[in-house]
């Protein structure tokens, strides 16, 4: 039983850190604030959820997994809401979304 | 299995350093906020991994929960502060 747990944990945590790496690169490389908030709110959240799932699998059925589940649910709700608040504040602050040079709508 | 967690924690610190470029370079205030928010959410996972390495996961889970709540409320408040462009006077 523990072999399967270990393998599953390794797969989940490696996938989670891969998505967080993608999120970090997205924050740096994307051209505009609104496109960057895609990176942080989506791929970071997915990375965190996968890593927390990996830790939960590694912990098995105990109090720690319940607390990890609470963090899992909270991050799943809080991260997008925070990014939405930032994007709304940026839009009301007067930051124009980025368009491609040929005026093709890029959202 | 423990060395795997140590290796992941080291890899995570590298991943955390990348958004610092956006915090320093960010043309607008909101890019810096985004970079800081990204770093905050990633340190949450680093706390959990370190908690597991130190063997006392129960304590570190509470720390991570409090940290994620603070990070969320902090970004909300700062976003609200910057939404009205009062800095233009």
């Amino acid at each position: 039983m523990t072999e399967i747990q270990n393998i599953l944990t390794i797969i989940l945590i490696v996938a989670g850190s891969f998505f967080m790496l993608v999120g970090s690169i997205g924050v740096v490389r994307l051209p505009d604030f609104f496109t960057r908030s895609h990176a942080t709110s989506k791929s970071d959240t997915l990375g965190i959820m996968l890593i927390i799932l990996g830790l939960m699998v590694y912990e098995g059925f105990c109090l720690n997994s319940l607390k990890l589940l609470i963090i899992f649910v909270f991050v799943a709700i809080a991260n997008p809401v925070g990014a939405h608040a930032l994007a709304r504040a940026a839009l009301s602050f007067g930051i124009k979304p980025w368009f491609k040079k040929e005026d093709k709508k890029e959202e | 299995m423990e060395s795997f967690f140590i290796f992941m924690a080291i890899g995570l610190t590298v991943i955390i350093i990348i958004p610092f470029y956006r915090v320093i370079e960010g043309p607008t205030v909101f890019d810096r906020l985004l970079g800081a928010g990204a770093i905050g959410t990633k340190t949450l996972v680093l706390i959990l991994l370190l908690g597991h390495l130190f063997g006392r996961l129960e304590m570190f889970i509470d720390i991570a929960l409090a940290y994620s709540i603070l990070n969320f409320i902090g970004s909300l408040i700062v976003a609200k502060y910057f939404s009205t462009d009062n800095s233009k006077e």
Side-chain angles (χ1 to χ4, degrees):
Chain A
M1 179 49 196
T2 58
E3 269 320 304
I4 303 171
Q5 259 181 332
N6 286 351
I7 293 166
L8 204 57
T9 313
I10 288 178
I11 291 171
L12 282 172
I13 289 190
V14 165
S17 54
F18 166 72
F19 277 111
M20 292 176 86
L21 183 66
V22 166
S24 306
I25 295 173
V27 165
V28 168
R29 265 187 54 78
L30 286 168
D32 168 67
F33 164 73
F34 293 103
T35 45
R36 276 178 215 126
S37 61
H38 282 297
T40 55
S41 63
K42 285 190 276 195
S43 47
D44 267 357
T45 316
L46 181 59
I48 288 173
M49 286 155 80
L50 285 177
I51 289 186
I52 289 182
L53 270 182
L55 282 174
M56 278 165 72
V57 162
Y58 192 69
E59 284 300 313
F61 281 106
C62 68
L63 182 62
N64 284 348
S65 317
L66 179 69
K67 287 189 189 172
L68 280 171
L69 185 71
I70 293 173
I71 296 182
F72 177 90
V73 169
F74 180 75
V75 165
I77 296 170
N79 232 346
V81 167
H84 167 72
L86 264 178
R88 212 166 64 89
L91 203 59
S92 73
F93 192 73
I95 293 181
K96 289 292 165 287
W98 175 82
F99 291 114
K100 229 176 161 46
K101 290 303 161 287
E102 304 93 12
D103 270 356
K104 187 154 62 64
K105 188 95 178 66
E106 176 98 32
E107 202 49 56
Chain B
M1 197 54 191
E2 288 312 313
S3 60
F4 165 72
F5 279 113
I6 293 169
F7 178 68
M8 272 300 134
I10 293 167
L12 214 61
T13 48
V14 173
I15 292 175
I16 282 175
I17 292 167
I18 298 174
F20 267 110
Y21 168 77
R22 181 52 57 201
V23 172
I24 295 162
E25 272 299 314
T28 64
V29 177
F30 293 99
D31 295 315
R32 293 192 173 90
L33 282 179
L34 209 64
I39 293 170
T41 47
K42 289 181 178 62
T43 43
L44 168 71
V45 175
L46 190 61
I47 290 171
L48 284 176
L49 278 181
L50 287 183
H52 193 277
L53 285 178
F54 288 160
R56 220 178 267 107
L57 193 55
E58 297 80 13
M59 187 177 76
F60 277 81
I61 283 183
D62 306 337
I63 295 174
L65 194 61
Y67 185 74
S68 63
I69 293 173
L70 283 178
N71 187 23
F72 169 56
I73 291 177
S75 64
L76 279 187
I77 290 170
V78 174
K80 188 139 186 51
Y81 170 72
F82 277 115
S83 61
T84 58
D85 47 5
N86 46 24
S87 60
K88 287 239 173 11
E89 282 115 24

